[in-house]
Amino acid sequence: MSEMPETYEPSADLKALDRLVGTWAITGGAEGTVRYEWMAGGFFLLQHVDLTQFGRPVTGLEVIGNLRPFGEPVGADVVSRFYDSTGNTLDYVYELTGDKLTIWGGAKGSPAYYEGTFSADGTTVTGAWVYPGGGGYESTMTRI
């Protein structure tokens, strides 16, 4: 007799990021476009990045979701890893509370983070990256 595998649903915190799905024009300290789409199954949100920052191209793919390592329970935080065309792998934690989107660089609570606010109609997200020691920048995403 075989045992049915456990079934899972994407977390409510991950599903909340559905507001990001679509293509956005980025202005501010980085310029270009990003596009968010769900991977089949709805457990991972993919961000395709095509930006210019500090005069250099930044292109890559970010995979956003809850960790579920082999044989372990689903992680509580919505985490991501960004892979870019120069070989970097950058980890983030996402949190959307009401209209406020926070993205921490590394671990939740990190001193490097983005904080942005969705407009009432959902067509813009306005905020800034904050870096320890300075060097952060303002950034606006506008749905296109």
Side-chain angles (χ1 to χ4, degrees):
M1 185 163 126
S2 67
E3 194 176 300
M4 288 294 291
E6 288 187 61
T7 59
Y8 296 95
E9 289 291 321
S11 72
D13 289 340
L14 178 62
K15 288 180 180 179
L17 297 179
D18 190 61
R19 294 172 76 177
L20 292 169
V21 169
T23 302
W24 301 81
I26 307 298
T27 56
E31 306 273 333
T33 59
V34 297
R35 180 172 52 88
Y36 290 90
E37 66 178 339
W38 289 108
M39 193 171 99
F43 287 95
F44 298 99
L45 185 62
L46 306 177
Q47 180 185 195
H48 303 270
V49 174
D50 187 5
L51 301 172
T52 300
Q53 186 176 29
F54 309 120
R56 295 184 182 169
V58 178
T59 59
L61 174 67
E62 183 175 19
V63 180
I64 305 162
N66 296 88
L67 294 179
R68 192 170 100 200
F70 185 75
E72 296 182 28
V74 176
D77 290 335
V78 175
V79 300
S80 75
R81 176 160 283 172
F82 176 70
Y83 303 88
D84 78 12
S85 58
T86 62
N88 291 309
T89 58
L90 307 173
D91 295 331
Y92 298 93
V93 177
Y94 277 68
E95 184 175 77
L96 180 59
T97 304
D99 288 330
K100 186 174 91 171
L101 175 65
T102 305
I103 306 168
W104 287 278
K108 189 172 183 172
S110 164
Y113 63 92
Y114 169 83
E115 191 171 280
T117 304
F118 279 87
S119 61
D121 64 5
T123 61
T124 61
V125 182
T126 305
W129 280 97
V130 176
Y131 297 142
Y137 60 90
E138 292 188 8
S139 178
T140 300
M141 298 193 334
T142 305
R143 191 179 292 280
I144 54 177

